[in-house]
Amino acid sequence: MAALSMSVRIPIFLLVILTAVSASSPSSTNGNGSDTDLAALLAFKAQLTDPHNILARNWTINTSFCHWIGVSCSRRRQRVTALALGDTPLVGSVAPQVGNLSFLSILNLTRTNLTGSIPAELGRLHRLKYLDLRRNSLSDAIPATLGNLTRLVSLRLGYNQLSGQIPPEMLLHMQSLGEIHLFGNYLSGEIPPSLFNNTPSMTFINFGNNNLSGPIPQTIASLSILWVLNLELNQLSGLVPQAMYNMSRLQAFSLLSNSNLYGTIPSNQSFILPKLKFLNLYNNKFTGRIPSGLASCKHLQILTLSRNYFVDVVPTWLARLPHLKELSLGFNNLTGSIPTGLSNLTGLTSLEMSYSNLKGEIPSELGLLQELSYLYLGLNQLTGKIPTSLGNLSKLSFLALNYNQLSGQVPTTLGNGAALNYLDLSQNNLEGNLDFLSALSKCQQLQSLGINDNYFTGVLSGHVGNLSSQLQTLAAGYNKLTGGLPVEISNISSLESIDLSSNQFTGPIPESIAMLENLVWLSLPNNEMLGPMPTQMGMLQSLERLFLQSNKLSGSIPSSFGNLSSLERIDLSSNQVTSEIPSSLFQLDKLIQLDISRNSFAGALPVDVSGLSQTYQLDFSSNLLIGSIPKSFGELIMLTYLNLSHNSFRDSIPDQLENLTSLDSLDLSSNNISGTIPMFFVLGLDSNNVLHKFIGTANMHTTQPPLLVMNFEDSFNQQVSSE
């Protein structure tokens, strides 16, 4: 017989059962309890949407529920022992009648799109051993009744939206509990100090990525067979119990990004973690030396101590950890040089020692680390040349040597790295021409290239057009580059950001730049570029930042700029642009900063400038503008800075400016304005008719390379957890 759909009516006798069996009474109508289980399963189904008809086709009254998908029964009687529908696309809440499945041993509803609360009635499932409700959208507090599940072995509630505090009594009678997984919720408050007083079987604790605060309970250190402890991404504070550094079974220990954990870590005598594979203390306030007890952790694979206050040299004993794959020590007070012995770590995939005080040269021996994919040595005081041996690292995808004192030319061997994705050599003393760009054209995975703030000379040749078709960021500002902007740069259609500021470029902006349809940021200030701005630039629909200030650009602002609907900041100041300001510029409703000062714009401003509804900084100073100040300026309620000085505006100050309640700086000096000074800002004027509280400028900001930090879920969890 065909499976019944959800729209088919339930027979009368089943309706009677559903009515008779309430959520609070698990009693049976036939003595063996199977009717109770059937009613509970039908109630569970009725409270869920089944978009793919998985239950509708299978959970039918013509088939014993022991044969329903996801349902298992005991051999001796028709009682449900397991309800496992993990990864089944259902939608809805958990019916409280599930608490009537009194023989249930396994409840697995992970990844089933569940919403609502966890029913308190689940606390009646006294035979339950495995409860898995991970990766849903369950909300509200964890019911304290779960503490009645005295046979529970595994409790997994991670990746939900649970809130409130962890019930103090929840684990009081769970002597068999070996695993508790609460990662990725909104739980708050302290971890109850007595939570683990009676859980001798505990091997796995994952409370990461919540809002937990307060100290780490001392009792955790008494869990003699614990092998995973993840408390990362919380707001825990205070000293870490010293006994936690002497847990013989512990393999994974993460306190990443709690920020306020502090203190020193004991040395050899009190630091004994012989099975440790994963240690992450990133972004806390630990002090003292890097714990030498780690030298005996021969199984260690991932060590992250960055963003703390450790004061030490880079320990040479690190070279004796044969299984080390990821090493992150940066953002500490490291001194001395990089040990050449690190080349013994042949399995190393990630090495990060940035933001420290390391000196000396980069050891050429690092070129022996054939598994290395991530190398970040930026923001130190490293000197010497970039080792050519780094070009031997065929798996290297991330290389950041920025903010050092490296000198010499960029070795062309870097172009041998076919996997290279991110290269940042900015803020050094590198010199020579840009011939190495030709070698980098072999790096067809390259997405970001930073060579700004060096001493590179010569022209940016057409070779730049041969760079990776995946290149998104090109930063070569603050060098001594000459010549024009090559037309070939438009071949890289993936480009999102170009920074060639503060060089010695001449010539016009090529019309072909319009081909860069993904361009978000174009920064060419402080050069000597000539000619008009191409009309074709109006085709850059993704453009958000346009910085062309301090050049020798002439002509007019193309009216096509009105098509740049994504534009947020534009600076054309200190050029030789003439003619009237196109009215289309005043219709850019996402624009927040506009500076066209120190040009030769003439004519009057449009009567209606209200299209600049998001703008907070306007600078039209030092031009040849005439006419009245538009009353519609009073509609720009976001304005904090308005400079109309050194023009030829006339007539009176519009009363509508009184509406600009956020205005911090208004400069109307050196105009032909007449009439009385409005009372609404008379007390703020100085002798030059300037109201000054704050004057800001829009400059292109710089970003540092991303720090690779492997958290528990992304890394060690894949190796050692039971998920």
Side-chain angles (χ1 to χ4, degrees), residues 171-188:
L171 307 186
L172 185 60
H173 303 292
M174 293 187 182
Q175 293 192 10
S176 299
L177 191 67
E179 174 185 16
I180 181 168
H181 189 301
L182 303 179
F183 185 94
N185 282 286
Y186 300 101
L187 300 172
S188 58

Side-chain angles (χ1 to χ4, degrees), residues 259-284:
S259 300
N260 289 311
L261 293 170
Y262 61 88
T264 58
I265 299 177
S267 58
N268 288 354
Q269 292 75 17
S270 302
F271 189 104
I272 304 176
L273 298 172
K275 295 184 179 296
L276 193 65
K277 295 180 179 179
F278 179 105
L279 177 63
N280 194 336
L281 305 181
Y282 173 84
N283 193 23
N284 283 287

Side-chain angles (χ1 to χ4, degrees), residues 250-267:
L250 198 63
Q251 295 186 34
F253 184 19
S254 181
L255 301 175
L256 173 148
S257 288
N258 277 282
S259 300
N260 289 311
L261 293 170
Y262 61 88
T264 58
I265 299 177
S267 58

Side-chain angles (χ1 to χ4, degrees), residues 311-381:
V311 179
D312 206 344
V313 297
V314 179
T316 56
W317 49 256
L318 288 168
R320 300 195 298 270
L321 299 177
H323 300 290
L324 201 60
K325 295 181 179 179
E326 298 173 15
L327 174 61
S328 180
L329 302 178
F331 295 81
N332 283 293
N333 294 317
L334 301 180
T335 58
S337 58
I338 301 173
T340 58
L342 294 183
S343 60
N344 293 336
L345 302 174
T346 55
L348 203 65
T349 62
S350 174
L351 175 59
E352 184 277 311
M353 293 190 291
S354 63
Y355 282 81
S356 296
N357 296 304
L358 297 174
K359 297 181 179 180
E361 298 186 357
I362 300 173
S364 61
E365 289 84 354
L366 295 186
L368 300 174
L369 301 176
Q370 290 299 306
E371 298 299 315
L372 201 64
S373 63
Y374 183 97
L375 178 58
Y376 188 8
L377 302 177
L379 289 105
N380 281 289
Q381 302 176 41

Side-chain angles (χ1 to χ4, degrees), residues 89-228:
L90 304 171
V91 180
S93 58
V94 181
Q97 286 87 345
V98 172
N100 294 338
L101 298 171
S102 56
F103 275 70
L104 202 64
S105 175
I106 299 172
L107 179 57
N108 179 3
L109 300 176
T110 183
R111 295 185 184 91
T112 47
N113 300 313
L114 297 175
T115 57
S117 305
I118 298 175
E121 288 80 1
L122 296 187
R124 295 205 306 262
L125 300 173
H126 297 294
R127 291 181 171 88
L128 198 65
K129 294 183 178 180
Y130 300 94
L131 176 58
D132 193 346
L133 302 176
R134 289 170 304 143
R135 298 186 183 275
N136 286 291
S137 297
L138 296 167
S139 56
D140 299 326
I142 299 173
T145 56
L146 295 187
N148 298 328
L149 305 177
T150 57
R151 299 186 185 181
L152 207 61
V153 173
S154 175
L155 175 59
R156 297 183 172 190
L157 306 177
Y159 299 101
N160 279 287
Q161 299 171 20
L162 301 171
S163 58
Q165 298 187 3
I166 300 173
E169 67 276 24
M170 186 169 69
L171 307 186
L172 185 60
H173 303 292
M174 293 187 182
Q175 293 192 10
S176 299
L177 191 67
E179 174 185 16
I180 181 168
H181 189 301
L182 303 179
F183 185 94
N185 282 286
Y186 300 101
L187 300 172
S188 58
E190 294 188 3
I191 301 174
S194 60
L195 188 65
F196 299 102
N197 279 1
N198 200 26
T199 56
S201 302
M202 189 67 68
T203 63
F204 186 104
I205 299 173
N206 189 352
F207 287 179
N209 201 7
N210 281 283
N211 297 314
L212 299 171
S213 58
I216 298 174
Q218 295 279 345
T219 52
I220 291 180
S222 66
L223 301 174
S224 60
I225 61 173
L226 189 71
W227 58 281
V228 171

